[in-house]
Amino acid sequence: MDYVEQRMAQEAAKPAVAADSSSSLLTPLNLLILGLFLYTAYSFFKPQPPAALPKEEPAVVFTTFTPRTLLPYNGENNAPVYLAVRGRVFDVTRGRNFYGPGGPYANFAGRDASRGLACGSFDEDMLTKDLDGPLDTLSDLGRDELEALQGWEDRFSEKYLVVGKLVPVGEEDK
Ligand code: HEM
């Protein structure tokens, strides 16, 4: 038998060896690679949870208030603090130290603060007495007072959100 015949005989004998060697595929290294492959495939096809939306500030609901419905927003029992200036209702809750119970400007909480701010006064008389009556028109105020009021309004507009408008009782739907 020459060399070529010898090789052919060897080749012919191979399938039995190959069939035999299939069990030798299960080496620890192959199992590791298979494991990694399956894990990668699983991670790729795994259902993803929906992307979380960024947290949004709660939407501001614009509401109509009358002096009476504004009154509960005086910060008591941890309620939000609102006050009105010339018909605009500001949410001044972040200024709770100023307007909340015991604060230096608590008299304005839940009220139309226009006249008090214009006149720089904390007098009871500055606040609308009849909560179901007409709003304070401020028509008797002078230039300096109106200027002072404008100053406060500008400051509030920069610092606080407007959450509604103040109207007299009977004009809620307008
Ligand atoms: C003795 C007189 C007063 C003193 C010493 C005083 C002192 C102060 C101080 C230190 C602040 C804080 C300022 C800041 O950090 O932004 C403030 C804010 C304020 N004051 Fe006075 N104040 C006086 C009189 C008045 C008067 C007469 C009024 C109106 C009637 C008034 C209404 C306010 C208001 C509305 C704020 C703004 C609070 C906010 O930013 O929401 N204050 N005051």
Side-chain angles (χ1 to χ4, degrees), residues 98-99 105 108 116-117 120-122 152 155-156 159-160:
F98 291 127
Y99 310 100
Y105 311 120
F108 294 138
L117 289 171
S121 164
F122 307 120
W152 286 117
R155 183 192 172 104
F156 289 168
K159 193 170 172 185
Y160 303 116

Side-chain angles (χ1 to χ4, degrees), residues 35-56:
L36 283 175
F37 172 76
L38 290 176
Y39 177 73
T40 312
Y42 168 73
S43 314
F44 190 76
F45 291 112
K46 174 170 75 167
Q48 299 289 331
L53 293 171
K55 266 204 160 180
E56 269 185 37

Side-chain angles (χ1 to χ4, degrees), residues 14-140:
K14 244 184 180 172
V17 175
D20 229 32
S21 72
S22 68
S23 62
S24 71
L25 279 175
L26 299 173
T27 62
L29 181 64
N30 280 356
L31 287 175
L32 182 71
I33 292 170
L34 179 68
L36 283 175
F37 172 76
L38 290 176
Y39 177 73
T40 312
Y42 168 73
S43 314
F44 190 76
F45 291 112
K46 174 170 75 167
Q48 299 289 331
L53 293 171
K55 266 204 160 180
E56 269 185 37
E57 293 280 311
V60 178
V61 182
F62 196 83
T63 319
T64 301
F65 297 89
T66 67
R68 189 171 291 287
T69 62
L70 186 63
L71 200 58
Y73 295 92
N74 58 6
E76 272 169 32
N77 304 318
N78 240 18
V81 196
Y82 295 171
L83 59 74
V85 183
R86 269 201 283 220
R88 283 197 294 168
V89 175
F90 290 90
D91 179 351
V92 296
T93 309
R94 24 179 311 234
R96 189 180 282 282
N97 288 347
F98 291 127
Y99 310 100
Y105 311 120
N107 59 310
F108 294 138
R111 308 302 297 263
D112 178 358
S114 310
R115 182 171 290 269
L117 289 171
C119 302
S121 164
F122 307 120
D123 277 4
E124 265 292 306
D125 290 356
M126 297 285 144
L127 304 172
T128 309
K129 257 192 267 322
D130 180 3
L131 299 180
D132 302 312
L135 296 188
D136 188 348
T137 59
L138 310 173
S139 56
D140 58 317

